[in-house]
Amino acid sequence: MAQFEKVSQKSKVHPKPEGLTLQYGTAGFRTHATHLDHIMFRMGLLATLRSKKTKSTIGVMVTASHNPEEDNGVKLIDPMGEMVTVVWEGYATQLANAEQDSLLKELKDIIKKEDIDMSEPASVYIGKDTRPSSVSLSQAVLDGVSSLGGKTHDYGLVTTPQLHYMVCCCNTNGCYGSPTIEGYYQKLSQAFLQLTQNALNRTDDQKRLLVDGANGIGALKMREMEPFLRSELQVVLSNDGSSGKLNHMCGADYVKVQQKAPQGMNMGVGERCCSFDGDADRIVYYYTDSKGCFHLLDGDKIATLISTYLKELLTQAELNLQIAVVQTAYANGSSTRYLEDVMKVTVCCTKTGVKHLHHAAQEYDIGVYFEANGHGTVLFSKAAQKQIQELMKDPNTNDERKRAVKLLESTINLINQTVGDAISDMLVIEAVLAIRGMSAQDWDAIYTDLPNRQLKVTVSDRRVIDTTDAERRAVSPKGLQDTIDMLVKKYKSARSFVRPSGTEDVVRVYAEADTQESADSLAHEVSLAVYRLAGGIGDEPKPLH
Ligand code: NG1
Ligand code: ZN
């Protein structure tokens, strides 16, 4: 078939290094950029098949998010803007690892298994982040799509959530919005301006927000969006990519893991600051107090702020909708306790990786999901959205209820429901703080985080660690969980767990306890246990102090 002839020819331009195997992990393929050319070409092929199968537009995003600039990666986006299904993740790995001479065989195998009608048209949207390697790598994706006769739309430089949004807009025939960058800015800014009308007497200081763009795509897009916000938000942008290196000593991951401010940010006492990650799908907030102490407002604090606000609006609107917060094992224990005991909202815990949180959140009328690292969004079920719209139109709705319903409606429009979105989340947070007249300090005071520490341990094969109970307990290697249990008992209000990372070749260790010293010490002791019981390599983990 001529179709496969072209694939065969073109694949020679994007050859697979012999013996190299990679896995479609938590966030797609991710590794050093020099190993990815063949993967990109093949993901172009797979996206084309997925498009033919679903009779919809599929997205392919070239990015390695918060990872170093030298890395890159690729993720596939399904028709409604969600992550690709697990079965197709398997096909991605199968196709990626096929040696050069068996590529066509594997491709045909997927076509057969999925019973794909190859005469169907295909459409693939492509986006990339600002990494230098993204230019040629996204070209390899385009080559893959065109060699199977698919149509492409190259959005060029976009944030990951912007591409998710475009895919969803396209496949809902514009119901979700218009699939252009301008359409995205217009939809979000209109909703933001509507919401901030409800915040009275805001001073310029209150409208001011310091944004760390991680020297990445989020900074570029924030610049583009600023005029749409008509000074209702006065952004002071740092790490805008003009001089620094992507994610280096800056960005959401650096701030969250190091628990300190990024370089290059001039923070005044109490000033609201936030950091995006390298592809702008994560955000964390922070400020320093008058004593120079750094305070982090992470994904857990964001989930708490947003769910409290939504719950209040539901009460005011007299709407009986179930709201739940979805977290992972990394959620700070204090946040879970506050949400369950004080807020009385349902809290559910899933495995790490937004696809797990996203699916769990779909089970509720309103599902607020956030990873502690600041990746998250809010999902409103179709039924919930319908109820809100109907109440809006109902002539019997009194003014107070109407105000609450209107706020809910604008909030829905402001949220990017396809995936976590730093820009959209930032605007939601800014609007909520403005409407409720809260400062960063007021927000921080909702509950106090338990001191915590995250560490990494390198082992020869991280797959020896198997976990259960939403990754909170290790079932292998033998003796590891018993040791962790024993260590945890030594500290007050303590908790610890370990899991193999899905994006790096390391085992992650998390610990929390009543003091920072205890959290650090517990994290260290658990790291040692991992090193000794799970085949640690390199130097033994050293104490933090
Ligand atoms: P891994 O490397 O599997 O821990 C990290 C984050 C996830 C998720 C993915 C994708 C932590 C502890 N882990 O996964 O939450 O965001 O990257 O970017 O933050
Ligand atoms: Zn990211």
Side-chain angles (χ1 to χ4, degrees), residues 14-17 20-24 28-47 60 62 72-76 92-98 100 103 137 140-141 144:
H14 304 283
K16 173 183 177 297
L20 176 70
T21 61
L22 293 167
Q23 185 104 23
Y24 195 96
F29 291 104
R30 217 174 262 193
T31 186
H32 199 277
T34 50
H35 293 149
L36 283 167
D37 183 65
H38 69 293
I39 298 275
M40 297 293 165
F41 174 75
R42 292 164 183 215
M43 288 310 102
L45 298 177
L46 192 68
V60 181
V62 176
N72 217 322
V74 59
K75 265 189 282 203
L76 299 188
T93 303
Q94 177 185 347
L95 210 55
N97 295 326
Q100 206 61 24
L103 177 62
L137 291 176
V141 177

Side-chain angles (χ1 to χ4, degrees), residues 40 138 200 299 369 373 399 456 474:
M40 297 293 165
S138 69
L200 303 173
Y369 75 81
N373 62 31
D399 284 354
K456 301 176 191 182

Side-chain angles (χ1 to χ4, degrees), residues 158-166 181 184-185 221 416 423:
V158 280
T159 69
T160 295
Q162 283 175 336
L163 190 67
H164 283 255
Y165 164 90
M166 303 302 170
I181 280 288
Y184 171 92
Y185 294 143
K221 297 298 153 181
N416 184 346
I423 293 179

Side-chain angles (χ1 to χ4, degrees), residues 30 63-67 75 160-161 277-282 375:
R30 217 174 262 193
T63 180
S65 181
H66 58 280
N67 288 75
K75 265 189 282 203
T160 295
D277 75 337
D279 62 341
D281 60 359
R282 288 192 198 176
H375 192 161

Side-chain angles (χ1 to χ4, degrees), residues 323-516:
I323 181 164
V325 176
V326 184
Q327 305 185 312
T328 71
Y330 291 100
N332 195 279
S334 292
S335 73
T336 316
R337 211 162 306 123
Y338 177 82
L339 287 163
E340 282 179 336
D341 299 351
V342 183
M343 285 283 305
K344 312 267 183 234
V345 299
T346 308
V347 178
C348 116
C349 183
T350 70
K351 288 207 267 189
T352 304
V354 278
K355 68 176 180 216
H356 301 297
L357 289 103
H358 193 92
H359 286 150
Q362 281 172 330
E363 299 295 311
Y364 302 92
D365 295 325
I366 302 179
V368 180
Y369 75 81
F370 272 89
E371 294 189 306
N373 62 31
H375 192 161
T377 186
V378 185
L379 303 185
F380 295 84
S381 72
K382 280 215 171 72
Q385 297 196 45
K386 195 160 164 245
Q387 270 196 51
I388 292 167
Q389 277 156 11
E390 274 166 9
L391 203 54
M392 196 65 215
K393 285 187 232 136
D394 187 346
N396 298 322
T397 312
N398 67 34
D399 284 354
E400 199 206 326
R401 274 181 89 188
K402 215 164 213 152
R403 177 182 178 272
V405 180
K406 185 98 198 60
L407 283 172
L408 277 170
E409 204 182 33
S410 301
T411 308
I412 294 174
N413 287 331
L414 183 51
I415 288 169
N416 184 346
Q417 292 192 57
T418 63
V419 78
D421 181 335
I423 293 179
S424 151
D425 289 340
M426 175 191 80
L427 294 174
V428 174
I429 293 163
E430 289 301 306
V432 174
L433 292 176
I435 292 166
R436 306 181 99 206
M438 284 168 82
S439 65
Q441 292 87 327
D442 299 333
W443 172 18
D444 194 25
I446 296 180
Y447 66 82
T448 307
D449 271 325
L450 275 171
N452 58 90
R453 180 64 63 196
Q454 241 193 77
L455 295 174
K456 301 176 191 182
V457 183
T458 310
V459 297
S460 57
D461 181 3
R462 68 193 200 276
R463 288 171 304 182
V464 298
I465 296 195
D466 210 356
T467 62
T468 182
D469 188 21
E471 305 178 320
R472 289 173 287 196
R473 296 189 67 77
V475 288
S476 73
K478 215 168 155 265
L480 180 59
Q481 189 58 50
D482 290 343
T483 310
I484 297 174
D485 289 342
M486 191 249 315
L487 293 169
V488 165
K489 278 202 194 108
K490 288 171 43 185
Y491 301 88
K492 227 176 121 195
S493 308
R495 184 170 72 92
S496 180
F497 66 92
V498 302
R499 54 173 281 280
S501 158
T503 62
E504 280 178 74
D505 194 7
V506 294
V507 174
R508 291 198 199 285
V509 172
Y510 177 87
E512 63 185 32
D514 63 334
T515 65
Q516 191 62 54

Side-chain angles (χ1 to χ4, degrees), residues 260-289:
K260 61 180 179 210
Q263 268 189 1
M265 201 138 180
N266 214 343
M267 299 162 66
V269 171
E271 258 189 320
R272 276 194 325 283
C273 308
C274 67
S275 286
F276 296 175
D277 75 337
D279 62 341
D281 60 359
R282 288 192 198 176
I283 185 168
V284 292
Y285 269 69
Y286 43 92
Y287 68 96
T288 45
D289 64 23

